[in-house]
Amino acid sequence: MKVPRPWSARAWLDTAHVMIGLPVAVLLGGLTLVLLVWPRLLMRSVPLFTRVQRSRFEAFLGARIPPVRSPSSWRSAATRRQIGYHLLSPFVGFAAAVLVGLAWGGAIVGLMSYLPQRLQPPPMEFEEFDLRDGKVVAIYLAIGLVLLLLAPVLARGMAALDLSVARTMLGPSRSELGQRIETLTESRAGVIDAADAERRRIERDLHDGAQQRLVSLAMNLGLARATLTDLPEPAREAIEQAHEEAKQALKELRDFVRGLHPAVLNDQGLDAALSGVAARAPFPVKLHVDIERRATPTIEAVAFFIVSEALTNIAKHAAATRAEVSVRRERERLHVLVYDDGCGGARLDGGTGLRGLAQRIDSVDGSLRLSSPLGGPTTIEVDLPCE
């Protein structure tokens, strides 16, 4: 914990938090005590009291206490913790305010002992407390300086103690946080699976709909191009151009569908799908796939995307003469390695390709390691859960 200086804004904010916290705690604690005899009204009031206290911590300490779910019953653990905090906080606030107030007050009294003699009170009965004595003034000054340095530490410590108690009693418990994390994890997995299922549906619709119509159009134009040879030259050129454009559109649609979610991935798995990707690469690719038991469709789709995107980036940027791809399963983990002998210099923040790759891997709790020194070679290692 960093010790604030007496004149720093942090010291005054901590002090204000402690001193303002006492009346707030007394008020809310008193209301909580009174409302104990009206449970229904207390159930409605406790969340409001808690919001007031959380606002105080955020305003003075910059600390945000995570909210808990609205109390569903009088006997819920979250409700009992919040009621306990509001009943306990007046005692914590009183102790903190007394200590901090005495420290700051003692510092002021000690440092004021050097005032001119005419402003000093008459001599006291006991000479050892006579502020006209230089030794007494020196002792007072020393005590004042010590308290001046100690007051911010006390304020910081009391504020930290109050915050610790509030986090424990006003925020979610560890079990509640664990349940929330588990729920979010399940929700994320559901979203990822739904997105993957939607990609497969789009791939099927394009394959069975638009792609088939383009195939029919290209065949008809090719037939017309081959048989209608007696047409005028401009008409023949128009048919030829339309035929070539139809073939190019069909190729682009097939590439898009294949990159979206290839049907062979569902039917035959990663080995067959990656073999097609490697065969289409403009450089030799050595592929090794060792998977005894298939992973889930979502993980297979991510692994396919990794290899496909990596080989695309190699073709665009690496000037490589060869590449190697290895995919193997070890227990419940799927390991993917892509190597190329290109010029290197790849970075995760260098473009959208690798950044999108990292985001796709993070979405399934995978890990990515990139080694790409200038001059090459480049190695991408990915570790994915199989479920």
Side-chain angles (χ1 to χ4, degrees), residues 31-168:
L31 290 175
T32 301
L33 186 62
V34 171
L35 293 176
L36 284 175
V37 296
W38 292 290
R40 290 186 179 180
L41 185 56
L42 180 63
M43 285 281 291
R44 296 180 180 179
S45 302
V46 164
L48 175 61
F49 297 167
T50 300
R51 283 197 295 271
V52 171
Q53 290 286 25
R54 286 190 5 236
S55 299
R56 180 171 65 94
F57 284 100
E58 188 167 3
F60 290 104
L61 304 183
R64 184 178 182 275
I65 299 176
V68 295
R69 294 181 179 179
S70 299
S72 56
S73 71
W74 167 258
R75 300 182 181 276
S76 68
T79 304
R80 291 199 300 269
R81 288 199 311 270
Q82 292 177 64
I83 293 173
Y85 176 81
H86 296 308
L87 295 176
L88 177 64
S89 59
F91 300 98
V92 176
F94 177 78
V98 168
L99 287 174
V100 175
L102 287 176
W104 282 113
I108 293 173
V109 170
L111 295 176
M112 294 290 285
S113 62
Y114 67 89
L115 288 174
Q117 291 187 3
R118 64 177 180 274
L119 298 180
Q120 297 288 359
M124 297 184 180
E125 182 179 354
F126 303 100
E127 294 184 357
E128 57 268 21
F129 295 108
D130 186 0
L131 293 179
R132 302 173 190 274
D133 188 341
K135 294 181 179 179
V136 175
V137 171
I139 293 174
Y140 267 68
L141 281 173
I143 294 174
L145 286 172
V146 171
L147 290 177
L148 181 66
L149 296 176
L150 182 62
V153 178
L154 278 175
R156 174 88 288 214
M158 292 298 100
L161 174 63
D162 193 12
L163 178 60
S164 177
V165 175
R167 287 190 188 279
T168 302

Side-chain angles (χ1 to χ4, degrees), residues 251-272:
K251 178 181 180 301
E252 292 177 358
L253 180 61
R254 283 173 174 169
D255 292 341
F256 172 74
V257 171
R258 193 180 296 115
L260 187 65
H261 193 98
V264 68
L265 181 61
N266 290 333
D267 301 334
Q268 302 180 38
L270 271 174
D271 195 354

Side-chain angles (χ1 to χ4, degrees), residues 37-346:
V37 296
W38 292 290
R40 290 186 179 180
L41 185 56
L42 180 63
M43 285 281 291
R44 296 180 180 179
S45 302
V46 164
L48 175 61
F49 297 167
T50 300
R51 283 197 295 271
V52 171
Q53 290 286 25
R54 286 190 5 236
S55 299
R56 180 171 65 94
F57 284 100
E58 188 167 3
F60 290 104
L61 304 183
R64 184 178 182 275
I65 299 176
V68 295
R69 294 181 179 179
S70 299
S72 56
S73 71
W74 167 258
R75 300 182 181 276
S76 68
T79 304
R80 291 199 300 269
R81 288 199 311 270
Q82 292 177 64
I83 293 173
Y85 176 81
H86 296 308
L87 295 176
L88 177 64
S89 59
F91 300 98
V92 176
F94 177 78
V98 168
L99 287 174
V100 175
L102 287 176
W104 282 113
I108 293 173
V109 170
L111 295 176
M112 294 290 285
S113 62
Y114 67 89
L115 288 174
Q117 291 187 3
R118 64 177 180 274
L119 298 180
Q120 297 288 359
M124 297 184 180
E125 182 179 354
F126 303 100
E127 294 184 357
E128 57 268 21
F129 295 108
D130 186 0
L131 293 179
R132 302 173 190 274
D133 188 341
K135 294 181 179 179
V136 175
V137 171
I139 293 174
Y140 267 68
L141 281 173
I143 294 174
L145 286 172
V146 171
L147 290 177
L148 181 66
L149 296 176
L150 182 62
V153 178
L154 278 175
R156 174 88 288 214
M158 292 298 100
L161 174 63
D162 193 12
L163 178 60
S164 177
V165 175
R167 287 190 188 279
T168 302
M169 304 186 74
L170 298 183
S173 64
R174 289 187 177 182
S175 60
E176 291 169 346
L177 284 175
Q179 291 175 359
R180 190 175 300 181
I181 291 172
E182 184 177 353
T183 301
L184 290 174
T185 302
E186 292 176 355
S187 299
R188 186 187 64 174
V191 170
I192 293 172
D193 290 341
D196 187 60
E198 184 66 13
R199 280 194 295 269
R200 291 197 297 270
R201 184 191 66 78
I202 294 172
E203 183 272 332
R204 288 195 302 270
D205 291 346
L206 289 175
H207 182 272
D208 298 336
Q211 184 171 323
Q212 296 303 321
R213 286 192 290 273
L214 275 176
V215 169
S216 177
L217 175 62
M219 291 178 61
N220 290 334
L221 288 172
L223 181 61
R225 181 179 181 179
T227 57
L228 301 178
T229 57
D230 55 346
L231 292 176
E233 185 66 21
R236 290 201 307 273
E237 290 180 356
I239 292 175
E240 291 175 2
Q241 184 179 0
H243 184 217
E244 295 300 326
E245 290 181 356
K247 291 194 295 182
Q248 181 63 26
L250 181 60
K251 178 181 180 301
E252 292 177 358
L253 180 61
R254 283 173 174 169
D255 292 341
F256 172 74
V257 171
R258 193 180 296 115
L260 187 65
H261 193 98
V264 68
L265 181 61
N266 290 333
D267 301 334
Q268 302 180 38
L270 271 174
D271 195 354
L274 294 180
S275 296
V277 174
R280 292 189 298 273
F283 45 80
V285 178
K286 181 180 179 181
L287 176 66
H288 176 71
V289 179
D290 182 12
I291 302 177
E292 296 181 358
R293 184 163 52 93
R294 294 182 62 174
T296 61
T298 299
I299 298 301
E300 285 190 340
V302 172
F304 174 85
F305 175 81
I306 291 167
V307 175
S308 178
E309 185 67 20
L311 292 180
T312 300
N313 288 338
I314 293 171
K316 289 181 178 179
H317 309 295
T321 59
R322 65 183 183 88
E324 296 181 10
V325 176
S326 172
V327 182
R328 71 183 191 280
R329 175 169 180 161
E330 294 182 359
R331 297 182 181 178
E332 297 305 316
R333 308 296 295 183
L334 190 68
H335 303 282
V336 180
L337 185 144
V338 181
Y339 166 89
D340 72 82
D341 63 351
C343 59

